[in-house]
Amino acid sequence: MNSVSSLEIRLTDGSWYAVCDPSSLTPGRGVAALLPGGRQVAVFLDRAGRPYALSNRDPFSGAYVLSRGLTGSHEGRPFVASPLLKQRFELATGRCLDDEEIAVQAYEARVRTEEGVRETERTPERVPAAP
C-alpha cells in the first residue's frame, strides 16, 4: 500500500504549504514551484531525502533559475550553483558561498506522510535575504 506524502514548506505567515509529492522529485535536481501570492521557490531533495527550499530568483542576474542549477557540496554543506553565473547558494541557509553579503530566502521544508512528519523536517538558519 502506497502512503500519500507531500513536500511542504513553511510560508512567511507560519502556515505550511504543500508543494508536491516528494516521489516526483529526483534527488540532486530542483523544481520550481509557485507559492500563494506569486513568489517562486526552488525545491530540492538531497540524496539522503532531506528537503530544501530557496527563493528561485538568482539575485545576481534577476532571473528565476535556481531550480535549474547544479547541486553539490562544499565542506559538507549542500549547495545549488546558479546555471547562469555559477554563484553557489547553501541549500540550508540561502547564503551565497561566493559573496558573503548576498543571500536568498531559505524556507523551512518537511515531508509529511499519512503517519506524520518525517525526520527530514529542519529549520534553516535565518539569513536576511538581499532585496
Side-chain angles (χ1 to χ4, degrees), residues 76-110:
R77 298 180 310 189
F79 68 82
V80 61
S82 172
L84 297 178
L85 301 174
K86 309 305 185 231
Q87 284 88 358
R88 299 167 301 160
F89 297 90
E90 189 175 3
L91 290 175
T93 66
R95 282 193 176 121
C96 179
L97 300 175
D98 303 299
D99 184 338
E100 63 187 36
E101 296 193 17
I102 302 294
V104 296
Q105 183 171 356
Y107 294 85
E108 187 175 353
R110 68 184 184 186

Side-chain angles (χ1 to χ4, degrees), residues 4-74:
V4 176
S5 63
S6 63
L7 189 147
E8 300 176 336
I9 63 169
R10 187 185 297 267
L11 302 176
T12 54
D13 68 3
S15 65
W16 288 97
Y17 182 75
V19 175
C20 64
D21 184 328
S23 68
S24 65
L25 299 176
T26 301
R29 293 201 168 163
V31 297
L34 191 60
L35 298 179
R39 290 191 148 209
Q40 287 187 29
V41 293
V43 179
F44 301 88
L45 277 183
D46 68 12
R47 296 195 191 316
R50 288 182 296 263
Y52 297 93
L54 299 174
S55 169
N56 195 33
R57 186 178 179 274
D58 177 344
F60 292 94
S61 69
Y64 292 87
V65 296
L66 290 183
S67 62
R68 297 189 325 218
L70 299 173
T71 59
S73 180
H74 175 71

